[in-house]
Amino acid sequence: MSRDEEAIAAPRPLRLWEVAPKNGYALALHGGAGGRIEELSQESRTAFEAGLRAAHHAGTAVLSSGGSAVDAVCAAVEQLENDPLFNAGRGAALTTDGCVEHDAAVMDGERGLAGAIAASRFAKNPVFLAREVMERSKHLFLVRPSAELATAWGVETAPQDYFITEARVEQLARIRAQSGDGPRHGTVGAVARDARGNVAAATSTGGMANQTDGRVGDSPVIGAGTYARNEIVAISCTGEGEAFIRGVVAYDIAARMRYLGSGLPDAVTQTVETELTARGASGGLVAVDAEGRVTVAHNSPTMFAAFDGDDGLVLLT
Ligand code: ASP
């Protein structure tokens, strides 16, 4: 396995970062908690950091100029989808049949609206198609959305060749050659609170490498991998999707805050423990509460993430 490749990993003790509200707005993003155990080479680390920094910059630029939380999370996720290093958009993991199938979701905490797509093969930026489902459709969740629909909604399409990278073809060949080897995964996502106090979340993924065609993970499932509700929290998750769906992880955190009055870090800690670690599942998440307090946490060995810490931008690789 290459050093920077993701693999399923057993849960580790929770690592959690907590940042107090700052500018009136806040943004945090992740680039997946694939469970990589090895240290990255310096070269890989630099490349991943550049991608995370660019995405954080794109989202923050929206917020600092008075833009909405929804626009900010979409701008951040767009950058990560365009970066072939991350498992979303171009460079997403391949299914057993060697195809790219994207899942994505957007949720707007202000309006309580959401849009999601699964097994999408044509949208260049799946997050934009999910957003258009939210804005234009009477439905919330579309499976296998057609290229015609994307085009009709003004969403750019791309052929499979655009999404499939050499690194992912090699990864699939390696997985196929290793009998009994588990699937590999990764995802990207962002949460934001804008200056008006509205929150939003977006998540986008190619799912698990070597997943059965048609398999859908937690990322586009509202309440599992993605959730946002004004006055409470916005959350984007990454990790073993099946466990996140079973544990309804994003909503479980929101429910602890809403009904038990838990603070964000405490809600995250409790949910990860009871819904993930107790299931032997690993992953992580980024979250922002109504005041702009950010929590970033993972029980996987590593997680790619970017957020504003007390002393400037924090990059996790
Ligand atoms: N949660 C994603 C999925 O199950 C994968 C990941 O985040 O690593 O599709």
Side-chain angles (χ1 to χ4, degrees), residues 147-287:
E148 292 71 26
L149 182 73
T151 303
W153 284 347
V155 175
E156 196 178 341
T157 59
Q160 281 279 304
D161 285 357
Y162 165 77
F163 301 112
I164 299 173
T165 59
E166 209 173 300
R168 291 297 182 187
V169 171
E170 285 168 10
Q171 178 190 47
L172 185 62
R174 271 198 304 279
I175 295 172
R176 282 177 176 156
Q178 293 164 8
S179 59
D181 189 30
R184 318 284 163 82
H185 58 109
T187 286
V188 307
V191 294
R193 180 218 195 251
D194 63 32
R196 286 181 297 282
N198 298 317
V199 297
T203 312
S204 179
T205 189
M208 304 273 189
N210 202 33
Q211 69 183 11
T212 304
D213 277 45
R215 179 258 179 193
V216 177
D218 61 309
S219 309
V221 178
I222 298 303
T226 306
Y227 190 69
R229 188 181 181 108
N230 264 22
E231 315 302 332
I232 313 281
V233 73
I235 303 173
S236 172
C237 302
T238 170
E240 297 177 47
E242 284 70 11
F244 279 78
I245 296 172
R246 288 188 193 108
V248 203
V249 166
Y251 188 73
D252 192 73
I253 293 167
R256 286 177 187 278
M257 296 175 72
R258 189 172 172 201
Y259 301 121
L260 298 180
S262 305
L264 177 56
D266 189 42
V268 167
T269 302
Q270 295 299 325
T271 295
V272 171
E273 176 53 42
T274 56
E275 305 306 326
L276 296 177
T277 305
R279 287 189 161 87
S282 69
L285 58 96
V286 292

Side-chain angles (χ1 to χ4, degrees), residues 94 98-102 120-122 158-165:
L94 304 182
C99 294
V100 163
E101 290 193 339
H102 297 119
S120 167
R121 293 185 172 199
F122 308 107
Q160 281 279 304
D161 285 357
Y162 165 77
F163 301 112
I164 299 173
T165 59

